[in-house]
Amino acid sequence: MPAFSLPALLRALVVWALILLAESGQGALRRLVADPDLEFAIRQLSVVTGAVIIFAITWASLRWMRIRTAGGALAIGGLWVVLTLAFEIGLGRILGLSWDRILADYDLLHGGLMPLGLLAMALTPWAARRLQAGRTRPTPDTVAPGPRSTP
């Protein structure tokens, strides 16, 4: 049995497109207002704000995506990572960025935080699913009491 259905996959692609639009908007805003001397530090900060954006969009759309299992959630997160890498590298090359410039964001030893952002992206559907499932579980005060036995 697959971890997710075709409709869930298509919905996950729509959500990824929304994430991509939000992240692109964040990048455009960063380029408009950022001081060029602070570009790398601002790109680092963008990984953190990007993770928050990804989580918020995922949280809001999780029920709509209809991810039924933890494996399905992890598969969707992995798909998002692959799509994001392809987009980032492809766009970078289209814009004429050098491989060194593109890969700088992925170099943890020199402050590139994109691997952490991609890890967050990969785990976000799973984490949001777990958190939402935890919110809907009955608590002792919401469960109707059963018959009581007397000592």
Side-chain angles (χ1 to χ4, degrees):
M1 175 180 266
F4 50 86
S5 66
L6 183 59
L9 174 63
L10 294 174
R11 290 169 190 255
L13 290 173
V14 169
V15 173
W16 176 77
L18 289 172
I19 291 169
L20 184 69
L21 285 172
E23 292 284 351
S24 296
Q26 176 189 223
L29 181 63
R30 180 181 70 232
R31 282 185 289 286
L32 284 174
V33 300
D35 180 346
D37 294 333
L38 300 174
E39 180 187 355
F40 189 71
I42 293 172
R43 284 197 328 260
Q44 287 179 314
L45 180 61
S46 293
V47 171
V48 175
T49 57
V52 171
I53 289 168
I54 292 165
F55 189 86
I57 291 171
T58 302
W59 180 269
S61 61
L62 193 63
R63 287 182 191 256
W64 181 75
M65 282 192 288
R66 298 182 186 153
I67 300 171
R68 302 284 184 229
T69 65
L74 291 170
I76 295 298
L79 174 66
W80 288 353
V81 167
V82 169
L83 292 171
T84 301
L85 278 169
F87 177 80
E88 289 277 331
I89 292 169
L91 182 63
R93 296 305 292 164
I94 288 168
L95 294 176
L97 300 178
S98 70
W99 282 107
D100 287 341
R101 168 57 191 84
I102 292 169
L103 296 175
D105 287 336
Y106 297 88
D107 185 358
L108 284 170
L109 296 177
H110 292 99
L113 299 180
M114 275 300 289
L116 300 177
L118 291 174
L119 178 62
M121 175 179 267
L123 295 176
T124 293
W126 173 81
R129 183 180 175 279
R130 276 195 63 129
L131 289 170
Q132 282 191 8
R135 290 173 43 124
T136 60
R137 288 190 184 132
T139 59
D141 59 334
T142 62
V143 176
R148 293 188 177 183
S149 61
T150 55

